[in-house]
């Protein structure tokens, strides 16, 4: 059996995303709008399979064929007859549910591969003897031959997502290195092209020189169109002695489905902002234009307080090893009015609270752009995972001049972050009950501050294409050195492109730090309804949760490559390290032995020191050198973090799987279809997700994967589908 780090346990938590009441309150028109947006999101989410690993599309197609032919209960009878135990079959169901939840065979939080927790030969018997194999023997056998070995392989390079020798990724061809990624980013910057909707493919010509293809995601291919914005970019370039070719058409048939449903959603839009937003998204996905997506995002920002909220596109860059390419993501949600009222109060207080942050006014935006900040109940979240909150759009220029929106995903928070007392690790017994009581409320406060005043604060110093600066070079000084500002962003440069591999983690660290800083403010606690002893408990548990999260984050560190696999987790470890170093005894992490005789550890937080320490440790600036220093994991005493990592892995609790509903159009009415909170229920939700064209989608995915398979195939490997 595989190392437990690379399997999903049979007792993994599975929860249903409850949005029944919010959906019930929608009008018929709002339901139709939400339905077609959800369809667009689910279709687009299939692109994530092609953004994860070479085998992910084949695994998805194989599972879909199996469970479309036989319900999980029906397949169980066949599996038991083939000699599987109940535990082995449950392990297979959990694996399949994990693939669907993560849109691939790598965990969305941590980027670690997971494999089936049963013998390969037993799973092969189940698959090749299944009803699906009886109906389509060549197709099912071909899929198994293509992905079976890779499904189980834990070869060192395949254990984690990464670039070059450090992991696998399909954002880049297999022979790309970090140097190739840097060169490509410089090329994209030189042409004012965003990396968000691109992939990079490298081939070597007969002269041994590299040739790079920058492929844009779009419905249209190389054919000419009336759109001069993108067609003028589709050509060959010579750049620093290398050849670059900009093409488009990545994920074309999938994006065609996205566009079709966005067109249908337009008919049910509540206002002109939504209509124009959708029109620009359609343009973006059709032409491959990030500028069109930016225009759509402008209309989205202007659409204040909609009943049905959504966003869709190539959004977050966490899983790109270089940190610039966006994973496809689409969500549809409905307003939770009670929690949104608290967030509106927080927004109204934002300008005053920003003044409390420990940096000079010149480092804040010239004018605070009041955002929407709502609590939403998610109907659909397509992608590799569901976050607790979102601050978007991620385009720096829009955030600086147009604004942004914050959303807290209330029904996600309700199910994702609950923990049973017996599974609550690394805390003192005296803290556990307090933690369980106040973790949810304190997390509401932290998410609100993190998204609104963390991601929403701060100013990028920029020199535009005309040479004009957005700050006064004569008067603005660096508070660390007392000298004038020496560096800034040039036209076309972004936070992601400039800081690349640490950009996401650095930004998450800043946002989390702002949340810790401002949760001490009485006005913030009053907004969320906490005063007196309750307020003190919320503060304590918020800090306690953060330092515990810093310890748990060690799961996402890879000692072999000295690298982190998840931006949020790296950020939390950095915060823990900073507090340990500067906190004067505020935080201690002590290795111990548990009651079961196995290695354990305890996190302690001196609640009496929280308020006094924070002011003196608010500035954790200093750039890449300082950040990477704090992110380094060593075995230096007293904490011995490398040794503690083994303890964290020994006692880790798997991240919950979330079952999402479907919407189904019956006549002119939209029905909500819900499923049980189990691995089988999650599988059924996906089996019923594409009732009209499931087989065609599987064929599309495998055709797209096969067309690019050469970019990850070793020289001696056979083409996909061939033995």
């Amino acid at each position: 059996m595989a190392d437990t780090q690379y399997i999903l346990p049979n007792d993994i938590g599975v929860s249903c995303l409850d949005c029944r009441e919010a959906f019930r309150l929608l009008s018929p028109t709002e339901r139709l709008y939400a339905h077609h947006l959800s369809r667009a999101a689910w279709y687009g989410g299939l692109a994530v399979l092609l953004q994860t690993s070479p085998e992910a599309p084949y695994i998805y197609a194989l599972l879909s064929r199996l469970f479309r032919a036989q319900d999980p209960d029906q397949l169980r009878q066949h599996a038991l007859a083939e000699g599987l135990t109940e535990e082995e079959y449950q392990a297979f169901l959990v694996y399949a549910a994990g693939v669907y939840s993560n849109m691939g065979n790598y965990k969305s939080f941590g980027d670690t591969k997971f494999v089936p927790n049963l013998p390969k030969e037993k799973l092969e018997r189940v698959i090749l003897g299944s009803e699906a194999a009886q109906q389509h023997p060549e197709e099912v056998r071909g899929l198994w031959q293509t992905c079976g070995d890779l499904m189980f392989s834990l070869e060192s390079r395949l254990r984690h997502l990464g670039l070059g020798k450090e992991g696998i990724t399909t954002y880049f061809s297999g022979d790309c290195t970090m140097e190739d990624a840097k060169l490509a980013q410089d090329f994209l910057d030189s042409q004012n092209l965003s990396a968000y909707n691109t992939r990079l493919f490298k081939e070597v010509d007969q002269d041994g020189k590299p040739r790079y293809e920058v492929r844009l995601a779009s419905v249209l291919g190389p054919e000419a169109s009336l759109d001069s914005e993108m067609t003028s970019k589709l050509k060959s370039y010579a750049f620093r002695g290398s050849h670059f070719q900009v093409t488009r058409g990545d994920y074309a048939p999938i994006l065609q489905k996205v566009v079709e449903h966005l067109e249908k959603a337009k008919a049910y839009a509540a206002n002109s902002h939504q209509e124009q937003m959708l029109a620009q998204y359609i343009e973006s996905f059709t032409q491959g234009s990030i500028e069109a997506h930016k225009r759509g995002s402008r209309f989205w920002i202007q659409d204040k307080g909609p009943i049905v909220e959504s966003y869709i596109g190539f959004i977050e860059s966490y899983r790109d090893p270089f940190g610039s390419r966006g994973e496809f993501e689409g969500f549809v949600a409905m307003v939770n009015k009670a929690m949104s009222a608290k967030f509106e109060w927080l927004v109204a207080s934002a300008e005053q609270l920003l003044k409390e942050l420990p940096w000079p006014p010149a480092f804040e935006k010239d004018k605070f752009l009041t955002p929407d900040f709502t609590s939403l109940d998610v109907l659909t979240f397509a992608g590799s995972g569901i976050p607790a909150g979102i601050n978007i759009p991620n385009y720096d220029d829009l955030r600086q001049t147009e604004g942004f929106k914050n959303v807290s995903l209330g029904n996600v928070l309700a199910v994702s972050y609950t923990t049973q007392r017996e599974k609550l690790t690394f805390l003192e017994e005296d803290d556990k009950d307090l933690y369980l009581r106040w973790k949810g409320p304190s997390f509401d406060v932290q998410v609100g501050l993190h998204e609104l005043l963390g991601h929403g604060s701060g100013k990028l110093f920029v020199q535009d294409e005309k040479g004009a600066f957005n700050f006064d070079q004569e008067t603005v000084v660096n508070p660390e050195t007392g000298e004038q500002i020496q560096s800034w962003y040039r036209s076309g440069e972004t936070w992601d492109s400039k800081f690349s591999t640490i950009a996401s983690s650095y930004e998450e660290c800043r946002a989390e730090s702002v949340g810790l800083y401002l949760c001490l403010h009485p006005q913030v606690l009053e907004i969320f309804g906490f005063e007196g002893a309750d307020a003190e408990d919320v503060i304590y548990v918020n800090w306690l949760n953060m330092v515990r999260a810093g310890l748990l984050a060690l799961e996402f560190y890879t000692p072999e490559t000295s690298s982190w696999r998840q931006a949020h987790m790296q950020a939390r470890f950095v915060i823990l390290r900073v507090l340990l170093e500067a906190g004067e005894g505020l935080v201690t992490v002590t290795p111990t032995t548990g009651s079961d005789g196995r290695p354990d550890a305890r996190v302690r937080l001196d609640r009496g020191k929280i308020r006094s320490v924070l002011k003196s440790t608010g500035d954790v600036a200093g750039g890449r050198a300082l950040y990477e220093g704090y992110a380094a994991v060593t075995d230096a005493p007293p904490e011995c973090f490398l040794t503690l990592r083994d303890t964290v892995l020994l006692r880790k609790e798997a991240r919950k799987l979330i079952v999402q509903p479907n919407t189904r159009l019956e006549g002119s009415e939209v029905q909500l279809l819900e499923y049980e909170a189990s691995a089988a229920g999650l599988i059924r939700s996906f089996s019923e997700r594409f009732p009209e064209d499931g087989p065609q989608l599987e064929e599309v995915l495998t055709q797209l994967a096969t067309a690019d398979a050469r970019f990850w195939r070793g020289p001696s490997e056979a083409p996909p589908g061939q033995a």
Side-chain angles (χ1 to χ4, degrees):
M1 291 294 121
D3 186 316
T4 56
Q5 184 180 356
Y6 303 106
I7 61 170
L8 302 178
N10 277 13
D11 64 350
I12 191 169
V14 184
S15 298
C16 286
L17 205 56
D18 183 8
C19 62
R20 188 182 313 163
E21 182 62 17
F23 185 81
R24 185 185 67 81
L25 295 174
L26 296 181
S27 71
T29 299
E30 290 165 346
R31 290 186 184 186
L32 285 162
Y33 183 65
H35 167 72
H36 287 296
L37 289 176
S38 292
R39 301 308 298 153
W42 284 125
Y43 277 114
L46 295 173
V48 177
L49 294 161
L50 296 157
Q51 294 180 298
T52 302
S53 69
E55 68 273 15
Y58 301 103
I59 296 173
Y60 175 91
L62 179 61
L63 295 174
S64 295
R65 282 189 177 274
L66 282 177
F67 291 113
R68 190 171 53 252
Q70 288 174 283
D71 177 270
D73 289 343
Q74 296 171 331
L75 191 62
R76 170 180 275 106
Q77 299 308 312
H78 163 62
L80 297 180
E82 289 288 352
L84 270 70
T85 65
E86 286 282 2
E87 291 74 19
E88 288 170 336
Y89 183 68
Q90 178 64 18
F92 174 55
L93 291 186
V94 167
Y95 175 79
V99 170
Y100 286 135
S101 290
N102 293 277
M103 270 290 103
N105 55 332
Y106 287 76
K107 297 175 186 175
S108 61
F109 286 81
D111 298 340
T112 304
K113 188 174 186 178
F114 57 95
V115 300
N117 190 25
L118 72 159
K120 181 186 171 192
E121 60 273 14
K122 285 194 171 185
L123 181 56
E124 181 175 53
R125 289 205 302 270
V126 172
I127 290 171
L128 298 185
S130 67
E131 185 65 29
Q134 305 304 315
Q135 295 172 0
H136 304 282
E138 291 184 11
E139 289 89 338
V140 171
R141 182 173 291 275
L143 287 169
W144 174 250
Q145 288 177 341
T146 302
C147 68
D149 288 341
L150 285 170
M151 187 188 291
F152 281 84
S153 175
L154 286 174
E155 178 189 332
S156 58
R157 187 191 174 202
L158 303 182
R159 292 175 186 172
H160 309 290
L161 297 180
L163 192 55
K165 296 179 180 179
E166 295 189 359
I168 189 73
T169 177
T170 47
Y171 283 111
F172 298 85
S173 56
D175 56 352
C176 279
T177 65
M178 193 60 72
E179 287 68 33
D180 294 313
K182 291 174 181 175
L183 177 65
Q185 187 62 59
D186 289 345
F187 163 72
L188 290 168
D189 289 343
S190 74
Q191 299 302 317
N192 203 24
L193 275 170
S194 171
Y196 271 120
N197 65 341
T198 71
R199 291 198 288 169
L200 184 70
F201 300 94
K202 173 186 174 183
E203 294 188 279
V204 178
D205 63 21
Q206 294 178 341
D207 298 326
K209 294 182 178 180
R211 300 175 67 87
Y212 299 95
E213 177 194 0
V214 175
R215 190 187 301 168
L216 311 179
S218 68
V219 175
L220 292 179
E223 62 269 23
S225 73
L226 298 176
D227 172 56
S228 59
E229 177 184 40
M230 292 312 301
T231 51
S232 63
K233 303 281 190 181
L234 305 176
K235 60 184 181 181
S236 297
Y237 301 80
F239 183 77
R240 294 185 186 169
S242 295
H243 176 86
F244 281 84
Q245 177 79 37
V246 178
T247 67
R248 66 180 175 186
D250 218 359
Y251 328 118
I254 292 172
L255 291 178
Q256 177 62 50
K257 290 287 188 179
V258 175
V259 165
E260 288 172 7
H261 280 281
L262 292 180
E263 288 280 10
K264 291 177 180 178
K266 275 175 63 180
Y268 306 105
N271 53 53
S272 62
H273 289 315
Q274 290 180 0
E275 291 175 2
Q276 294 176 89
M277 169 190 79
L278 294 176
Q280 291 298 327
Y281 290 165
I282 290 166
E283 176 80 0
S284 174
F285 299 140
T286 301
Q287 302 286 353
S289 169
I290 289 296
E291 288 303 316
H293 196 268
K294 282 186 179 181
R295 292 192 293 269
S297 298
R298 286 191 175 94
F299 289 118
W300 179 71
I301 293 167
Q302 294 165 23
D303 183 29
K304 302 290 186 182
I307 300 299
V308 177
E309 182 63 281
S310 69
Y311 197 66
I312 190 169
F314 296 89
I315 312 300
E316 301 292 356
S317 57
Y318 302 134
R319 300 184 93 189
D320 170 13
F322 188 72
S324 294
R325 287 151 191 82
E327 182 174 87
F328 193 95
E329 178 180 292
F331 79 86
V332 184
M334 302 149 293
V335 172
N336 178 319
K337 294 183 179 179
M339 183 58 75
S340 294
K342 296 178 181 179
F343 289 145
E344 286 175 14
W345 189 1
L346 187 64
V347 169
S349 308
E351 287 192 82
Q352 184 61 40
L353 292 171
L354 285 171
K355 297 176 183 177
E356 303 291 330
L357 293 173
W359 49 71
F363 284 72
E364 216 28 271
K365 296 180 180 70
D366 299 332
K367 183 180 186 303
F368 182 70
L369 301 167
T370 304
D372 251 13
F373 198 169
T374 50
S375 178
L376 304 174
D377 285 343
V378 171
L379 171 65
T380 295
F381 206 112
S384 65
I386 312 179
I390 308 170
N391 177 287
I392 39 182
N394 286 333
Y395 305 120
D396 295 328
D397 49 349
L398 293 193
R399 296 169 68 84
Q400 296 247 102
T401 60
E402 308 274 344
F404 52 92
K405 283 187 182 182
N406 298 271
V407 295
S408 175
L409 305 179
N411 59 342
V412 177
L413 283 169
V415 299
S416 295
Y417 298 93
T418 54
T419 304
Q420 297 174 339
R421 194 182 196 281
E422 58 269 23
K423 292 186 177 182
L424 190 56
T425 54
F426 307 130
L427 294 181
E428 298 286 347
E429 286 298 318
D430 292 345
D431 279 335
K432 287 186 177 181
D433 291 330
L434 192 71
Y435 182 91
L436 290 171
R437 179 181 178 186
W438 291 109
K439 184 186 178 185
S442 71
F443 204 61
D444 284 337
V445 175
Q446 180 68 12
V447 168
L449 294 171
H450 173 113
E451 301 295 350
L452 174 65
L453 297 169
H455 291 313
S457 64
K459 175 178 181 175
L460 296 184
F461 294 141
V462 177
Q463 182 182 24
D464 65 23
E465 64 277 4
K466 297 179 181 178
F469 292 88
N470 69 342
F471 65 100
D472 189 334
Q473 286 183 283
E474 300 298 322
T475 61
V476 177
V477 298
N478 183 328
E480 288 294 299
T481 65
E483 300 174 352
Q484 291 179 324
I485 300 300
Q486 301 295 316
S487 61
W488 47 83
Y489 293 81
R490 267 70 176 184
S491 177
E493 292 181 333
T494 66
W495 168 259
D496 283 333
S497 70
K498 205 168 178 64
F499 282 79
S500 64
T501 53
I502 66 165
S504 294
S505 175
Y506 214 144
E507 173 62 15
E508 291 304 321
C509 188
R510 190 176 71 91
E512 294 283 36
S513 299
V514 167
L516 287 179
Y517 191 93
L518 288 177
C519 80
L520 296 174
H521 202 289
Q523 184 179 356
V524 168
L525 296 163
E526 182 184 355
I527 288 170
F528 285 90
F530 305 122
E531 297 178 316
D534 286 353
E536 293 299 318
D537 286 342
V538 166
I539 293 169
Y540 176 65
V541 169
N542 194 36
W543 278 65
L544 186 64
N545 183 51
M546 188 62 66
V547 296
R548 176 176 181 264
L551 182 61
L552 295 177
L554 286 167
E555 175 190 343
F556 302 93
Y557 178 76
T558 305
E560 295 82 1
T561 59
S562 301
S563 62
W564 286 88
R565 303 189 306 276
Q566 223 284 332
H568 290 79
M569 300 305 171
Q570 182 179 4
R572 289 168 183 172
F573 179 75
V574 167
I575 291 171
L576 172 61
R577 285 285 309 276
V578 170
L579 294 175
L580 282 166
E581 180 177 304
E584 300 173 355
L586 170 73
V587 178
T588 55
V589 179
T590 308
T592 62
T593 300
S595 58
D596 56 5
R598 299 190 299 174
D600 206 341
R602 288 289 179 269
V603 171
R604 293 180 177 84
L605 181 63
D606 187 335
R607 75 187 288 170
K609 292 185 178 180
I610 290 176
R611 292 185 182 275
S612 61
V613 167
L614 186 61
K615 291 289 183 180
S616 63
T617 61
D619 182 10
V620 195
R624 180 179 283 270
L626 180 63
Y627 192 77
E628 291 180 342
Y630 278 119
V633 180
T634 72
D635 226 18
E639 292 84 14
C640 305
F641 281 119
L642 277 174
T643 300
L644 276 174
R645 178 179 177 274
D646 295 333
T647 302
V648 169
L649 292 175
L650 178 69
R651 297 187 174 274
K652 70 173 182 160
E653 181 182 3
R655 188 178 180 84
K656 285 184 175 64
L657 304 180
I658 297 181
V659 183
Q660 298 188 54
N662 286 320
T663 55
R664 182 68 46 79
L665 187 58
E666 297 181 4
S668 60
E669 295 186 357
V670 179
Q671 303 297 325
L672 186 70
L673 306 181
E674 298 175 287
Y675 303 87
E676 67 179 29
S678 67
L682 197 156
I683 290 167
R684 289 187 183 101
S685 74
F686 269 87
S687 295
E688 297 181 8
R689 192 140 283 157
F690 303 104
E692 306 91 350
D693 52 4
Q696 295 93 318
L697 289 172
E698 293 150 21
E699 187 175 351
V700 162
L701 284 166
T702 55
Q703 287 175 347
L704 292 175
T706 301
D708 290 327
R710 71 185 189 278
F711 290 115
W712 297 281
R713 193 186 307 139
S716 62
E717 292 181 60
Q722 297 182 19

